[in-house]
């Protein structure tokens, strides 16, 4: 049996002068969902928004906003 490939990414957003959300940092990839969630929670304190995204090849994907 083949283990599915996991991609765990966190991206944080700030606000531009016109109020639109813009990436605050480059997307960050993590080895575990726990590490990604921990970083998303830390970034959520200082950024306008954060998106944590988990994709498993062959099983679809799921995005979670952390507030």
């Amino acid at each position: 049996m083949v283990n599915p490939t996991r991609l765990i990414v966190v991206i944080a957003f700030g606000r531009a002068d016109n109020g639109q959300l813009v990436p605050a940092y480059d997307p960050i990839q993590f080895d575990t969902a726990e590490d990604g969630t921990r970083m998303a929670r830390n970034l959520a304190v200082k950024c306008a928004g954060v998106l944590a995204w988990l994709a498993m090849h062959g099983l679809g994907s799921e995005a979670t906003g952390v507030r």
Side-chain angles (χ1 to χ4, degrees):
M1 183 163 124
V2 176
N3 289 335
T5 302
R6 292 172 32 138
L7 176 64
I8 302 159
V9 178
V10 172
I11 186 165
F13 298 91
R15 289 218 181 262
D17 291 338
N18 64 2
Q20 287 192 312
L21 291 175
V22 294
Y25 307 99
D26 289 334
I28 309 165
Q29 185 173 340
F30 293 90
D31 293 328
T32 68
E34 292 80 13
D35 288 344
T37 300
R38 186 177 307 110
M39 177 59 79
R41 289 184 189 281
N42 288 335
L43 289 169
V45 173
K46 55 187 167 184
C47 296
V50 176
L51 181 70
W53 182 61
L54 167 66
M56 297 183 73
H57 179 68
L59 298 176
S61 63
E62 178 181 320
T64 304
V66 177
R67 186 130 179 103

